Each structure stands twice: as structure tokens, then as C-alpha cells.
Amino acid sequence: MKLYAAPLNFRAIAHEFDVPTDFAPSLHAEASELVDRFADVRIDARDIPFVTIDPAGSKDLDQAVFVEQRAGGGYRVRYAIADVAAFVDSDSGVHEESLQRGQTIYLPDEPARLHPEEVSEGSASLLPDVDRPAVLWTFDLDGEGEVESAHVERALVHSVARLDYEGVHASLTDGSVHPSIALLPEVGRLRQQSSLRRHAINLRVPSVRVARDGDAYELAIEPRHPIMDYNSEISLLTGMVAGQMMVDAGVGFLRTLQPASAESEAEFRREARNLGFDVTGDIGEFLAGVDADTPHGMAIMREAQKLLRGSGYVDLSKDAPEIHAGIGGYYAHVTAPLRRLIDRFATEVCLAICAGTPVPEWVTRDAARMLKTMGRSSQLANTVEKACLHLTEATVLEPWVGHNFDGVTLKSGEEQSRVFIVDPPVLAPSAGAPEEGVSTKFSLVHADIDAREVGFAWPAD
């Protein structure tokens, strides 16, 4: 269904929540002069034909991958991560600015970056057809995709292709996939099975985008191709290995998540049933079989996010280790240093552990400040993401107040119920609703762009 709306502008949200979208000229100048501080200690890994897989048009390329069969059976996965610490010296202005920002905040029209473009989209980005400093992870997996050994070191790498998800999906369909990732689906599926064995909850939440056709705007579900999940499995693998490595050494930073409560699980199962799903067994296994590209699949994935609350970070030099319930084990952020501050710190810990050297002094010095910034910026990122989504929904729906939409009741309440509107895909409150699980028509009664709110009513007019 085509819905008409005024052009969307997310700069006001950035201003409202004090999201810095620009850098001072002095930081741009400094960033343009930064060079690799570890050039003389790197191994030469330019013979490995790495490729990157990212959304089309991306320039801040954190990861490059290469997967091959091992001679004795199993798989070898090479995973190159942008070596941001090689450029961002701990005494630089760029480092100081990153300690204030914490992470890239993704606004739909333009990201508010963690680092100046000269670093994030230039010297540190794993762009194709150029030599780049990287942190190289090497994993040997057995025939079931379980880790037999892992190592991390600094290297010089050379990406041979910048691929995007749509293109890789098409190449997998027609059999022309790049040879560097021909085994990625196979390894990805094995890692997904490993995830199920750990009773992990892997959320595949599709993005909701605004598609424009002339003056018409459509609120649509962005397709979630399987290659996105296979690629994510390599990142999850790296984070799990890094987390276990840190726990064994008693030093480092874990990403933690509390397990879902019995009450939240019960509520999720009820809402899933209202959407037409039968969740009688393990929730992680159920979610693995959901088609997230459908409106109902998108809705259940978004509802499942409520199971994964209470996230945080643990400094192992001060606190006991805690697991990440969504992973089913220990986990650390190490694969997105261009976009997330803690990854630069955690990576340095892993490099020190593998090399048998002390953790750099600056990591210990700035750890407390870094963790505080990560907690604050994570909350900010969630707040901004919700504000942008709600602004989009209100803007797109505002001209359609008074019209009826197909929906289903997720949760009934005495004064207000929660409903899922199928097209466009929106979760919203409703004044009145039939019994939970009943599909019917709901009237759009208000869409307030300034307040970023929409509301429905039942029975429909």
C-alpha cells in the first residue's frame, strides 16, 4: 500500500538528543595525518583473498572474511578486523573524542560517526584493492563448526572485493558466489546449529525502511537474506572466542545479558500465539524457524527483543565473569571498532593475551571511562532508533487518519490495548480491541508528527 507523507528529516532528533553529527576541523585535520603505528610488527597476509560483505554503499568496513576447507577436515575461517588502535593513539584528540561519543549513532539519513571519516571511511576501513592494517583472527573449526583452535595477531591484508548483501544473495541463488565465501553458508548453518545447542536466542530483526516512488512513500520491511545471518555468525563466533579467552586470562571486558524472566517468557509466548505462532518448545529454536521477512515474522522478532533486556559490560579485572544469555556463553565486542569504542579496547586485550605481553597501559587507564560511555551511548542509540522509527510511522500515517487498517490484538487492556497493524507493519496502542489473537479492522485515530505517536481504535468506523 502506498502512503503519502512529507519528506522526512531526522536532524531534529539528533539535535533533541544531543547527538554530535559533525567533528571540529582540528579533528578532521588530525585524523587525516594518522598513520599505522604498528607497521613494523605485522605479518604479511596479503595473499589471503579477503572480501567484505556490508550494506550497499557502506564505506566504514570493519570486517573482511575468507573461509576455506582444511586438509584434514573441518574449516579454517580467517577474519580481518579494522585495526583502529593502530591509527588512534591514546593521546590523540580523536581518541579523546571517541571516549565522549562511545559509538556511531545510526540516523536513517546519515550516521553520527564515532570517528572522523578520514579514519572510519578512509585509512582504517578495509576498502578493496588497497593494503590495510588489520587484526587477523584465525579459527580452525571441526566438521560440526565447533572451535578447535583460535589465534589473533596484527597483519597487513588486502581485500579483493567489496560485496553487498543483495549482490551476494543473488550470487548464491544463481551459483556465482565469490570463491572466498563459497563455504560461508555451510559454516554459517553449522554455527547456527551450535547456537541452538547452547539454547541461544538469535534475533533476526528486519529493518523497516521508507521507500520513495515519486511523491509516494511506503513503509516496508527490508528483506533479511540468509547471507546476513551467515555473516553475523562469524562475528558472533569471534566475540565468543574473545570472551572465553578473556575469562581464561582473567582480564578484559565482557558484554553481558541477563536471562529472560519466567514472566517475560510467558508474555512472549502469549503474544506469539496471538500472532498465529505456536511456541511450545525452546524459544531460540522457534525463532530460528521464523520467516522474518513477513509482517508477522517481523512483529514476533521485535516482540522477542523484550526477552533480551538487562545488558551491560563487565570488567574482569574487577568483577566476576557473567554470560550473555542471548549467546549462551561468554561474549565480547571485538568486531566493530570503527563503530564501537569498546571493540578497540577489547581487541588490545586479546592481542596481548595471545602474544603473552602486558595489556597496554592506556587500556587500563581509560577502561572505567570507556565503560561508562558505552553504557550511556548504548541507551542513547536505542532511544534515537525508537524516535526515528516513531517519527517515520507518524509521518507516513498522518495523512491517513480516519482510515481502517488490518491488524491483530497482541495484548488487551482495560483502557488501552496493543495491536499489530499488518500493512504498513506497525506496533501501536489501540483504544479498545477484540480478544487477543483476533484479526480485524482498526481505525487510525491520530498520528502526531511532533509527538512521534500514532494510535488506533476499535471497533473501526
Side-chain angles (χ1 to χ4, degrees):
M1 123 183 260
K2 292 291 184 183
L3 304 179
Y4 293 83
L8 289 157
N9 184 350
F10 298 95
R11 295 297 94 184
I13 290 178
H15 179 74
E16 176 183 345
F17 294 105
D18 293 323
V19 177
T21 56
D22 299 309
F23 291 90
S26 60
L27 289 175
H28 282 294
E30 181 184 87
S32 67
E33 298 295 327
L34 296 176
V35 297
D36 179 12
R37 298 183 294 127
F38 303 110
D40 58 339
V41 300
R42 298 186 184 280
I43 66 166
D44 190 345
R46 288 176 291 178
D47 60 325
I48 302 172
F50 284 106
V51 299
T52 59
I53 314 174
D54 292 272
S58 296
K59 295 180 181 178
D60 53 342
L61 310 181
D62 281 295
Q63 311 107 12
V65 64
F66 172 72
V67 186
E68 61 183 333
Q69 201 91 43
R70 289 167 61 197
Y75 309 86
R76 174 162 290 174
V77 177
R78 299 292 189 91
Y79 205 40
I81 306 298
D83 192 353
V84 178
F87 294 94
V88 182
D89 186 277
S90 60
D91 295 325
S92 67
V94 173
H95 174 72
E96 175 62 27
E97 183 70 14
S98 70
L99 279 170
Q100 297 180 39
R101 297 192 179 211
Q103 59 189 288
T104 296
I105 305 294
Y106 284 96
L107 296 149
D109 50 357
E110 184 180 359
R113 297 175 180 85
L114 173 61
H115 304 102
E117 301 94 305
E118 291 84 358
V119 172
S120 61
E121 297 184 355
S123 58
S125 179
L126 301 183
L127 297 167
D129 302 322
V130 290
D131 296 344
R132 281 290 186 263
V135 174
L136 176 58
W137 290 86
T138 301
F139 306 103
D140 283 341
L141 311 181
D142 64 18
E144 292 187 341
E146 300 294 349
V147 179
E148 290 187 343
S149 66
H151 184 74
V152 60
E153 58 197 329
R154 284 194 151 94
L156 188 66
V157 303
H158 189 98
S159 171
V160 299
R162 179 172 66 181
L163 309 179
D164 61 72
Y165 290 116
E166 290 288 342
V168 174
H169 175 72
S171 69
L172 286 171
T173 302
D174 65 22
S176 63
V177 65
H178 195 286
S180 292
I181 55 170
L183 290 171
L184 180 57
E186 189 173 323
V187 171
R189 285 189 288 268
L190 289 171
R191 293 302 304 169
Q192 288 173 339
Q193 291 301 311
S194 177
S195 175
L196 293 177
R197 289 193 291 270
R198 297 190 308 273
H199 300 287
I201 296 177
N202 185 11
L203 296 186
R204 296 168 289 114
V205 183
S207 299
V208 178
R209 65 181 175 87
V210 177
R212 181 173 182 175
D213 181 11
D215 293 328
Y217 288 82
E218 183 181 14
L219 198 63
I221 300 174
E222 192 79 47
R224 176 127 192 136
H225 299 308
I227 189 60
M228 297 178 178
D229 299 320
Y230 302 150
N231 199 36
S232 294
E233 286 296 333
I234 306 304
S235 180
L236 294 173
L237 164 67
T238 309
M240 291 184 66
V241 169
Q244 187 63 58
M245 185 183 294
M246 292 175 179
V247 171
D248 291 343
V251 62
F253 313 100
L254 298 180
R255 179 61 163 169
T256 64
L257 185 67
Q258 299 298 314
S261 66
E263 293 79 7
S264 62
E265 282 199 13
E267 181 177 355
F268 173 77
R269 292 179 190 275
R270 184 177 70 251
E271 292 188 346
R273 183 174 61 251
N274 293 336
L275 283 168
F277 296 101
D278 181 20
V279 191
T280 55
D282 179 73
I283 290 178
E285 186 173 350
F286 157 71
L287 290 172
V290 171
D291 182 358
D293 286 346
T294 65
H296 284 71
M298 181 216 71
I300 199 61
M301 287 296 177
R302 285 176 59 180
E303 292 303 279
Q305 289 178 305
K306 293 186 291 186
L307 296 169
L308 304 181
R309 290 177 173 172
S311 60
Y313 293 98
V314 163
D315 183 344
L316 291 173
S317 67
K318 300 177 180 179
D319 305 304
E322 297 179 20
I323 68 166
H324 189 293
I327 300 298
Y330 297 122
Y331 186 69
H333 278 154
V334 292
T335 63
L338 289 173
R339 314 174 202 185
R340 203 167 43 210
L341 175 63
I342 193 171
D343 298 54
R344 172 157 37 107
F345 282 68
T347 294
E348 290 304 306
V349 174
C350 292
L351 286 165
I353 292 171
C354 273
T357 58
V359 173
E361 183 275 334
W362 65 265
V363 172
T364 304
R365 180 196 71 195
D366 293 335
R369 186 179 174 194
M370 176 272 293
L371 290 171
K372 183 176 180 180
T373 299
M374 286 304 305
R376 174 184 55 78
S377 63
S378 294
Q379 292 181 342
L380 175 63
N382 289 334
T383 299
V384 169
E385 180 182 11
K386 290 178 181 178
C388 291
L389 176 61
H390 294 160
L391 173 63
T392 300
E393 292 172 345
T395 303
V396 170
L397 286 170
E398 192 269 342
W400 294 81
V401 171
H403 286 72
N404 295 336
F405 295 81
D406 291 325
V408 59
T409 306
L410 294 183
K411 188 175 182 180
S412 295
E414 292 184 5
E415 296 184 0
Q416 184 172 276
S417 299
R418 193 159 183 266
V419 301
F420 170 61
I421 303 302
V422 178
D423 186 13
V426 174
L427 295 164
S430 173
E435 294 181 359
E436 293 181 359
V438 172
S439 297
T440 185
K441 297 280 188 181
F442 295 88
S443 289
L444 177 64
V445 293
H446 81 272
D448 189 328
I449 295 175
D450 292 333
R452 300 190 291 268
E453 295 177 350
V454 298
F456 292 81
W458 180 86
D461 293 336

